[in-house]
Amino acid sequence: MASCGTITFIFGFFIFITAVNTSFMNVTCSTESVGEHGHESLLNCVVETTADDQIRVVIWKKGEEILLRYFDEDDEDLHLKPGYRFADPSWMNTRNVSMLITNTVVTSEGEYSCKVNTDRGDAGSTVNFKVKAKYSAPRINSIPENIPPNTNGTLICNSEGGYPRGEIRWFDENHQDWTNSSEMEVIQTDSGLYQLSSNLTLLSPSTFSKYTCVVFNSSEGKEVEATYEITSIPEGQGSQGGEEGGEEVSKIVAPIVVIGSLLVVLVLVLMVLLYKRRSHRPYTHGGECHHEECRQEAEEVMDTNSLSLRLSPQETWHSTGIKDGTSKTFHSPALTLY
């Protein structure tokens, strides 16, 4: 009799355990998820059950805001909020109720909850969603534009479009960290993304030939970097500059030389013309000149094959004609050439 009661108890307990396992239902979600800014992001959740239960209700929320809701097959408010939908079109059969964020932005970050109701009961879970955005390749500018070795200057490194807030660090060619000698400015734009700018001051003579600007994300991971190299002024650049300066001077002096030469030539021409004019004055005889007589004497002198002129101390011109061997003496005032 006792053994029959024991068998009945065991059989009843087995039926109870079977019923409990048959009614088991759970919602399993990834506790954390990371999405990239400007891309689609997946919040993964799956309904786990041992029975062929029908899903009656699915609700996705962020805080108290309902993003996605489903009640039954006739529900017309399946996509309550634009930008959110079920990731799996066959989710009713696969029981994959994961939600897809079609365009991830900084404000998409936060905690999401998923609640599911079936014929056996309801269950839910949460997902902590984070957003990341990669920083752009840094750009390095210098003040002055070209920094010679062992001179003072400033290097400016800029990178933007990243999230969460990152950091810029400076290293020399020996991998020594110079971040403490820099100043960084951080600006968060209206989109929530960050702009980073860092100024590194270089002081002579403790300068190096290379400096690297490295952008680290919020997880201390290296994302992007850029290198600035300080180079010496090429040899001959100074002499080249001198040559260029000489060319400039030549461009100025050359016209002056040409103009001066033309002026000298002009003066010489004027002097020759003046000399010819004075040399063709009528000859005077005894301090007086009779025009007809002077003209004849001049013609006689011009007809000779050779002409020799001599200025005597008594201020006389002596001309000897070769044709007839005669000689004539003309008295005139002293000849002066201007």
Side-chain angles (χ1 to χ4, degrees):
M1 193 71 180
S3 59
C4 290
T6 301
I7 293 173
T8 302
F9 174 79
I10 294 174
F11 181 76
F13 181 78
F14 177 78
I15 294 176
F16 173 78
I17 294 299
T18 303
V20 171
N21 290 336
T22 303
S23 62
F24 172 78
M25 194 272 291
N26 189 29
V27 177
T28 302
C29 299
S30 301
T31 56
E32 288 189 0
S33 180
V34 179
E36 187 174 353
H37 186 275
H39 296 267
E40 293 182 342
S41 298
L42 179 67
L43 305 184
N44 190 21
C45 284
V46 178
V47 177
E48 297 178 346
T49 179
T50 57
D52 191 16
D53 297 336
Q54 183 178 358
I55 297 177
R56 299 295 184 183
V57 178
V58 178
I59 299 177
W60 274 98
K61 298 172 63 177
K62 181 185 179 186
E64 296 300 322
E65 182 183 13
I66 298 176
L67 306 175
L68 184 62
R69 179 178 60 189
Y70 171 80
F71 277 109
D72 53 39
E73 295 179 356
D74 297 329
D75 187 10
E76 296 180 357
D77 294 329
L78 180 60
H79 303 289
L80 181 65
K81 187 177 179 63
Y84 301 90
R85 62 180 177 84
F86 284 110
D88 186 357
S90 304
W91 65 273
M92 288 286 293
N93 298 324
T94 61
R95 299 178 181 273
N96 184 352
V97 293
S98 300
M99 184 177 68
L100 189 70
I101 302 175
T102 58
N103 184 30
T104 305
V105 294
V106 172
T107 54
S108 300
E109 192 172 71
E111 185 177 81
Y112 293 78
S113 63
C114 176
K115 294 183 178 180
V116 179
N117 178 268
T118 66
D119 296 335
R120 302 287 181 176
D122 53 28
S125 185
T126 60
V127 179
N128 185 22
F129 181 66
K130 295 182 179 181
V131 177
K132 69 174 183 178
K134 189 175 182 179
Y135 283 90
S136 64
R139 304 179 307 277
I140 301 178
N141 299 318
S142 64
I143 301 176
E145 184 176 356
N146 295 315
I147 303 178
N150 298 322
T151 57
N152 297 338
T154 302
L155 298 181
I156 305 172
C157 181
N158 295 289
S159 181
E160 62 273 342
Y163 187 87
R165 172 173 173 163
E167 180 185 10
I168 291 179
R169 299 179 189 175
W170 292 92
F171 300 89
D172 60 26
E173 67 247 40
N174 300 318
H175 306 290
Q176 182 177 353
D177 193 339
W178 288 91
T179 307
N180 292 334
S181 300
S182 65
E183 294 182 1
M184 189 177 72
E185 181 182 8
V186 180
I187 299 176
Q188 189 170 21
T189 63
D190 294 338
S191 64
L193 302 178
Y194 286 96
Q195 294 179 351
L196 307 179
S197 179
S198 178
N199 298 348
L200 176 64
T201 301
L202 306 181
L203 298 177
S204 176
S206 58
T207 59
F208 296 85
S209 61
K210 291 182 181 180
Y211 289 90
T212 302
C213 164
V214 183
V215 179
F216 288 83
N217 55 34
S218 59
S219 302
E220 297 294 323
K222 182 190 298 185
E223 285 201 358
V224 285
E225 64 180 44
T227 299
Y228 182 90
E229 185 172 355
I230 298 177
T231 57
S232 302
I233 299 176
E235 295 182 0
Q237 182 172 345
S239 60
Q240 181 180 359
E243 292 175 358
E244 292 178 356
E247 291 178 358
E248 295 296 330
V249 173
S250 299
K251 291 179 181 179
I252 298 174
V253 173
I256 296 177
V257 172
V258 173
I259 294 174
S261 301
L262 292 176
L263 290 176
V264 171
V265 171
L266 180 61
V267 170
L268 292 176
V269 171
L270 291 175
M271 292 177 65
V272 170
L273 293 176
L274 181 61
Y275 173 77
K276 289 183 177 181
R277 181 179 178 182
R278 290 183 177 273
S279 63
H280 285 80
R281 285 183 177 180
Y283 293 96
T284 60
H285 183 247
E288 296 180 359
C289 177
H290 303 284
H291 180 70
E292 184 63 24
E293 181 181 357
C294 292
R295 184 181 64 81
Q296 293 176 357
E297 292 177 352
E299 290 177 353
E300 182 179 358
V301 172
M302 295 298 294
D303 290 336
T304 61
N305 293 330
S306 64
L307 180 65
S308 61
L309 298 177
R310 180 175 59 86
L311 182 61
S312 67
Q314 292 79 17
E315 298 179 351
T316 60
W317 290 96
H318 180 76
S319 176
T320 302
I322 299 177
K323 287 184 177 181
D324 52 6
T326 60
S327 63
K328 294 181 182 293
T329 300
F330 304 96
H331 297 275
S332 66
L335 179 60
T336 304
L337 179 62
Y338 292 93

